Structures are given as C-alpha cells and as structure tokens.
Amino acid sequence: MKLSLAVGLLLGFIVFLFILRSFLYSLTPVNFANERFSNGYGDYNKVGGDQLKDKVQRFHIAPPGDNIQPGELEVFLTTAVHYADFPARGGFNVFLNGWARHESDMNFKCCLIRSLPGGDPEDIITEVQSYVYHIYDQWVVDMQNAEFSCSISNKQLSTIGGANFSYVTFAETSCLRANKDVMRIIYPQREAGAVGICLKISYDLIDPEKLVEWFEYIRLMNVTKVFTYTFEVQPSSLKVLQYYQGKGLLDMQPIHPAKSKFGPKRGFKRPRFEQQAWTDEVMAANDCKHRMSGYDYVIVMDADEFILPHGNLS
C-alpha cells in the first residue's frame, strides 16, 4: 500500500514537472537554449519547440505598407522595427505594429530571416514566440490597433551566430508553414537633436497650396523628417507629397487598413465609421513612435497644425 502510494506520488510529481516545463517553455522562449535542425532543404534555428519538418519555399519581399497575416489568424502586421535593449537587454528585439480582431486568437510565431550577400532572404529561419505588447481598446471596433514584440536573449544569440536579421514573417503554429511574404525589419538610426513629425494618415484631397505652405513652414522650424501613411490621396495633393519626398524631407508609404472577414468597408473619407478611423490613426501614430525611435523629438500632428517656437528665433 505504502509502495503504491509512493509510486503514485512520484508519477504525479513527474507529470507536474512536465506540465510546468511545457508552460514555461511556451510562455518564455527567450529563456531556453536554441536548437538547430536540418531536414535536407534548409537549416532552422528554433527558439524552443518541436523539430521543423516541411520544405522551405523562396520568400517574397512585401512592399512597404502591405499587411502580413500569420496563417488564418485575424492578425495583420504592417511594420517591424528593431529595438536594441527592450525588452531583452543585450539581445535582439523586434516590435510589430498592425491590427487584430477584438478578443481573437493572437498567438503566433515570428520567423526571423537573415539576408544573402545580394540582399535576398536566405533559407535559414529562426522561430520565436510573439507576445502582445499593447492592444488599443478605447473603442471596440472591427479591428483594434495591436502591437507585439518578439525577442531573443543575448545568451541565445551566441548559439545561433548573432542577430543580423533583415526580414521577418509570421506563422500561426510553425515557421515552416509561414506566410511566404516577408517584411524588412527597420533599424532606426540615432539622430541626435533631430525632430520628427508624424502626419499619421494623409488621404483624399488636401489643399495643395496649404500643404506647400505647411511644408515650407516646418522647414523653417528645422524639422528633420516627416512621415505619413497615404490612402487614396488626390493627384494634386500627391504631387506635393512626392515633391517633398524627393527633397528628402518626407517619408511616406501606402496604408491598407485590415478588415475582418465580415467587417465593414474601410476608409477615411467621410461618411465613415469614425471610431474605426480614429483607431487607425492611433495605429499610424504608434508606427511613427517605433520607426522614429532614434529621434530626440517626435511630434504627432496634422497638416493644419503648426509648431510655435518660444522666444526669439534670431
């Protein structure tokens, strides 16, 4: 009787340890050593998890502004930006910005990829579990602005040959079933004393004369760079934006607001779903926060707003 009880307790303790290990393994992949696998088609660095088995296909570099979806999840990712020391100090961190369906499954993998000498993605994938960083839910709308992070610890980097990743894509369960579209990882450059302006989303008709006036004014204010997303901008307004893009003052890229399977049509021109449009503007503002993280100052404003300096300008 005592022997049976002891065996039962021992087996129960072993099961408990297995469950605890599995829980920690899935919860904090950056705390576990990397394993390297090969299946005859390519090599894979897996930060925790099972061996990868499927054949690798060549990747396609998605144009800036395109959304990439992890499998069938209602998660749509637009931007990937590198951070040096957060949350994994001395490791590799990438922050992701985009949209997610309210209260849907947001559990996916980041598939990190280095580049070949010619710039194309190579066939080595490093798989990392993603984490929800922030969901903007002031309004419950079809698609919430969602930010995620993926990290590799400094200790793990030494086992996979460094962190010089150039691209990332995403998978619902395994990176060998990942979306074949990959996005470039943005590495913000340190701009000491620089001032960046985030125009969020430029759409429809913006008075060209007033737009020129606004850009010339901010040039006088020594603004370093302006970033804006564009959506169905009228040709006359677009010409002005393209002119200042050519001057190096403006960076812009199209935005493609994500929608759920049965969600309403998306857009910014009125009439529109106001709360969804406001949420999309928050997404654009958060995007500036990440991509302009190397600037000392970032101002979120509209093209009908102006910087007013204090004191004497002379």
Side-chain angles (χ1 to χ4, degrees):
M1 182 70 176
K2 291 183 178 180
L3 179 61
S4 299
L5 179 61
V7 171
L9 289 173
L10 178 61
L11 290 174
F13 183 67
I14 292 172
V15 170
F16 170 76
L17 289 178
F18 178 79
I19 293 172
L20 179 63
R21 179 184 180 276
S22 299
F23 173 73
L24 293 174
Y25 194 65
S26 62
L27 185 65
T28 317
V30 295
N31 289 338
F32 292 89
N34 291 276
E35 300 175 51
R36 189 173 181 85
F37 301 105
S38 176
N39 64 2
Y41 298 107
D43 293 330
Y44 311 93
N45 296 315
K46 190 87 179 285
V47 183
D50 300 324
Q51 184 167 350
L52 306 175
K53 300 177 181 179
D54 296 334
K55 182 176 180 178
V56 170
Q57 300 175 14
R58 280 292 177 183
F59 295 107
H60 167 257
I61 302 172
D66 278 13
N67 303 318
I68 298 181
Q69 188 177 5
E72 297 300 317
L73 297 181
E74 291 195 279
V75 174
F76 300 85
L77 301 159
T78 305
T79 308
V81 180
H82 171 259
Y83 276 72
D85 289 310
F86 181 79
R89 181 170 294 277
F92 177 84
N93 308 282
V94 61
F95 271 76
L96 313 166
N97 189 36
W99 293 271
R101 176 74 171 165
H102 181 66
E103 293 187 346
S104 66
D105 182 5
M106 302 179 193
N107 184 38
F108 63 90
K109 310 291 185 183
C110 287
C111 310
L112 300 165
I113 305 162
R114 298 180 177 90
S115 61
L116 297 168
D120 292 331
E122 68 176 10
D123 288 342
I124 299 175
I125 307 168
T126 299
E127 181 177 296
V128 183
Q129 178 63 43
S130 70
Y131 291 92
V132 175
Y133 176 69
H134 181 252
I135 304 295
Y136 182 79
D137 57 1
Q138 181 170 342
W139 302 286
V140 177
V141 292
D142 180 48
M143 299 299 289
Q144 311 292 147
N145 172 224
E147 298 171 272
F148 303 87
S149 67
C150 292
S151 298
I152 304 175
S153 70
N154 181 268
K155 181 179 179 180
Q156 289 175 311
L157 288 178
S158 63
T159 70
I160 62 173
N164 52 331
F165 299 109
S166 300
Y167 305 97
V168 63
T169 189
F170 313 102
E172 186 173 352
T173 55
S174 167
C175 282
L176 282 176
R177 290 179 286 278
N179 195 310
K180 298 308 173 186
D181 288 332
V182 302
M183 67 175 63
R184 296 184 188 274
I185 298 173
I186 299 169
Y187 283 78
Q189 299 301 308
R190 179 76 180 98
E191 299 279 355
V195 178
I197 288 182
C198 175
L199 271 186
K200 296 178 290 186
I201 303 168
S202 300
Y203 61 92
D204 198 35
L205 178 64
I206 311 166
D207 187 309
E209 291 185 5
K210 291 183 178 179
L211 197 54
V212 170
E213 180 184 66
W214 185 85
F215 272 105
E216 291 302 319
Y217 180 84
I218 64 165
R219 286 178 65 180
L220 293 175
M221 296 296 103
N222 292 322
V223 168
T224 310
K225 184 73 70 175
V226 179
F227 176 81
T228 187
Y229 275 109
T230 59
F231 184 86
E232 297 180 353
V233 179
Q234 293 294 323
S236 58
S237 306
L238 185 59
K239 285 183 179 179
V240 176
L241 296 177
Q242 290 171 336
Y243 173 79
Y244 287 101
Q245 183 184 40
K247 291 288 186 181
L249 180 59
L250 173 68
D251 283 344
M252 63 178 180
Q253 67 182 44
I255 190 171
H256 306 289
K259 64 182 290 294
S260 65
K261 291 180 181 178
F262 306 106
K265 181 181 177 181
R266 302 294 298 281
F268 299 96
K269 184 178 179 180
R270 291 179 173 88
R272 65 186 187 182
F273 182 13
E274 290 293 335
Q275 286 84 355
Q276 180 66 74
W278 297 338
T279 299
D280 294 338
E281 288 193 350
V282 171
M283 177 272 176
N286 280 330
D287 215 66
C288 292
K289 172 188 70 178
H290 294 304
R291 68 174 62 242
M292 289 183 160
S293 58
Y295 288 53
D296 279 350
Y297 307 96
V298 177
I299 305 169
V300 180
M301 58 190 297
D302 297 323
D304 59 356
E305 299 172 330
F306 293 84
I307 301 170
L308 294 178
H310 289 283
N312 194 340
L313 282 177
S314 60

